[in-house]
Amino acid sequence: MKKLLTLALLAVLSWGAYAQKPDITRMSEIVEVESSEGEVTLSLFSVPVGDKPGYFLYVGTLGIGNAVIQFNVDPVNKLFLPLGGTLSESMETLQRLQEMYKEPGSSCEMEACFAPLVPDDSRETVRITSRKVLLSRQLEFTLDRGDHLRSTSVARSDFNTLMFALKGYQKLHPDE
């Protein structure tokens, strides 16, 4: 009788654990670009926003410093750009960013999410500036914090690799 009562008590307690709604955000990775060191430099993924998907571009962790020197000391907080609710909207936004590489010195502002590990509902304005550095072109993503800047940059070659992979993904999944 004691064993039966213990078994019933364990069943009731475990039922409560299974009745919980998971609090983990599900991210579906679509395209990822890695550096030669194996570090992810760019990533496009979808995250459910309510009952619809939301597409985000991960552009990396931001350094901290000023306009000249940046120190990468924060590996947890990441910058995510919301691209839209469909893959075609996301592609249009990415093509506008890709066009900026052709015009060094041009800049624009977008809403972005600076959050630990996964995007949330918080939004900040990020300034995106096209720069020509030696023989390469970069997009610089900057958050102005008043007394310091948080920024990262994305090389044109990495962005072109992302766009090429995304076009291939769109051909394989035309319904998204």
Side-chain angles (χ1 to χ4, degrees), residues 110-173:
M110 282 182 72
E111 291 295 309
C113 175
F114 184 59
L117 305 177
V118 294
D120 56 19
D121 293 336
S122 66
R123 297 289 185 262
E124 296 183 51
T125 302
V126 65
R127 187 177 66 245
I128 304 168
T129 308
S130 176
R131 302 226 185 265
K132 187 172 182 179
V133 181
L134 295 176
L135 299 174
S136 68
R137 295 181 187 226
Q138 298 178 344
L139 282 184
E140 182 180 83
F141 298 85
T142 306
L143 290 174
D144 191 355
R145 297 289 192 209
D147 59 338
H148 65 279
L149 298 174
R150 304 288 310 252
S151 78
T152 189
S153 59
V154 174
R156 183 180 191 175
S157 59
D158 290 341
F159 202 87
N160 288 341
T161 302
L162 176 92
M163 292 299 287
F164 179 76
L166 183 58
K167 287 176 185 176
Y169 181 85
Q170 267 190 318
K171 286 180 182 179
L172 292 174
H173 306 279

Side-chain angles (χ1 to χ4, degrees), residues 29-41:
E29 186 176 294
I30 296 170
V31 178
E32 180 178 273
V33 178
E34 292 183 1
S35 67
S36 59
E37 295 88 33
E39 179 183 322
V40 176
T41 56

Side-chain angles (χ1 to χ4, degrees), residues 100-111:
M100 287 183 67
Y101 282 104
K102 296 178 183 175
E103 304 167 14
S106 65
S107 68
C108 70
E109 291 185 348
M110 282 182 72
E111 291 295 309

Side-chain angles (χ1 to χ4, degrees), residues 28-30 44-47 53-55 85-91 166 169-176:
S28 300
E29 186 176 294
I30 296 170
L44 179 74
F45 57 90
S46 68
V47 174
Y55 292 89
T86 65
L87 198 54
S88 59
E89 287 177 13
S90 303
M91 190 66 162
L166 183 58
Y169 181 85
Q170 267 190 318
K171 286 180 182 179
L172 292 174
H173 306 279
D175 297 336
E176 283 191 45

